[in-house]
Amino acid sequence: MNTTERGSFSGKLGYILTVAGSAVGLGNIWRFPYLAAKYGGGIFLLVYIILAVTFGYTLVLAETALGRKTGKSAIAAFGDLNKKSKGMGFINAIIPIFIVPYYCVIGGWVLKYFSVYMTGGAMKAAEDTYFTGYVSNVSEPIVWTVVFIAASLLFVFLGVKGIEKASKFAMPILAVLSLIIAIYSVTRPGSLEGLKFYLIPNFNNFSFMTIVAALGQMFYSLSIAMGILFAYGSYMNKKIDMESSIKQIEIFDIGIAFIAGLMIIPAVFSFSGGDPAALNAGPGLMFVTLPKVFASMKLGGVIGGTFFVLVFFAALTSAISLMEASIAFFMDGFKLSRKASCAIMACITLVIAVPCSLGFGLWDGVTLLGMGILDFFDFMTNSILMPIAALLTCIFIAKVVGVKTIVEEVKCSGEFKREKLFTITITYLAPAFLLIILVSSILSAMGFIKM
Ligand code: PFF
């Protein structure tokens, strides 16, 4: 089948909305703010934006172009262009398998908070010990995680498409609601300090981890190195202007993350005095901070409930596309049926998700390479596997298929203004940078260097 026939995105807007809808998820709303709070505020924001518009842009474009050129998913695309490189698709395809489980744990937290708001628990959720009390519980977080896994798998298994239409409504509403909450947050007494912390880069807060964390976040948020962009590219019509579509998707993705940071970080200063422990809250930050914001608002219960149901939609659609990518690994790679692939994925997800959830309670003291269990999976996927996959993609393009192939693919549908920048980045800058970060991350995780 050639790509024009395969193309189901005939219009640019449809393409942009669909890819942006998949890219915007927990990564923007839950993950970005806690990393920004933990790794330096304004300096993290600056490093993140620089990475996203340079390396991020280059990698998104490269993966999309490879997908459109071959009309195939990641597993098949590499082999299609060069038989010996077939295995490279596998590494892209394996990554979502390890992300899905912990994504579902956070999805379960979102569901729980939604249920709390629906049952009039807005004040209870704002108490200092509520979040830690909840996650240290053994069974309840696991039950909500299982509900979230079941919901996502059901959509994947049945191949129900309606959810995507629902998310096209939910996403813009979530963006507007987040903006309203952000405006409310930044106008609270005491939040100015937080606003300064978030917006003004302070080089004293910079550490090597700022780069490592920002790079991992860039992969995660833009759905790079997960086989996803290949798949969307393979459905992209040859006439759609690739460079400008990708620019708009990036603006959207960075914009939502930026607003989520505005919603949460100044509120940490306003409601918790900006003390370092609160800023270092990690994965719990959104769940600890936002309920305090809602509790201080008129109609906070309704706003909180609406917020969590919208985040649930964002998380569900992302989990569905992550699961689709994961089962494609078994279907395309091992020629298994959809049913068998879903069953395998259900087992893997449960086996990894349960320890991730227990890591916040019963298995609190368990560490892997010095990290909690959920953080370990997060680190391994975003800071180790994704840079490896991206590095291999750069080498593949520069040494095997040739940068010209990608450039021609981009140019067949429009201008390529940043052609020079793309060529230099994919050939020299990105591989060198990824290699340095990768080696440092590995050495640091093994305890050989301190970052
Ligand atoms: N980019 C999504 C987020 O930021 O939450 C995560 C993601 C969703 C990655 C869907 C990949 C994907 F297919």
Side-chain angles (χ1 to χ4, degrees), residues 22-28 103 220-223 226 228 253 317-319 321-322 325:
S22 153
V24 172
L26 290 175
N28 308 62
Y103 209 84
Y220 191 98
S221 191
L222 292 171
S223 314
M226 290 183 238
I228 290 287
D253 194 69
T317 47
S318 289
S321 49
L322 279 164

Side-chain angles (χ1 to χ4, degrees), residues 171-195:
M171 284 300 134
I173 305 175
L174 176 61
V176 173
L177 183 65
S178 301
L179 193 61
I180 295 171
I181 301 170
I183 294 171
Y184 178 83
S185 275
V186 300
T187 49
R188 291 312 88 203
S191 67
L192 190 63
E193 275 313 301
L195 199 59

Side-chain angles (χ1 to χ4, degrees), residues 434-451:
L434 289 168
L435 196 63
I436 294 170
I437 299 291
L438 187 62
V439 172
S440 323
S441 300
I442 294 173
L443 292 178
S444 135
M446 294 175 70
F448 291 128
I449 54 170
K450 189 141 177 53
M451 298 199 294

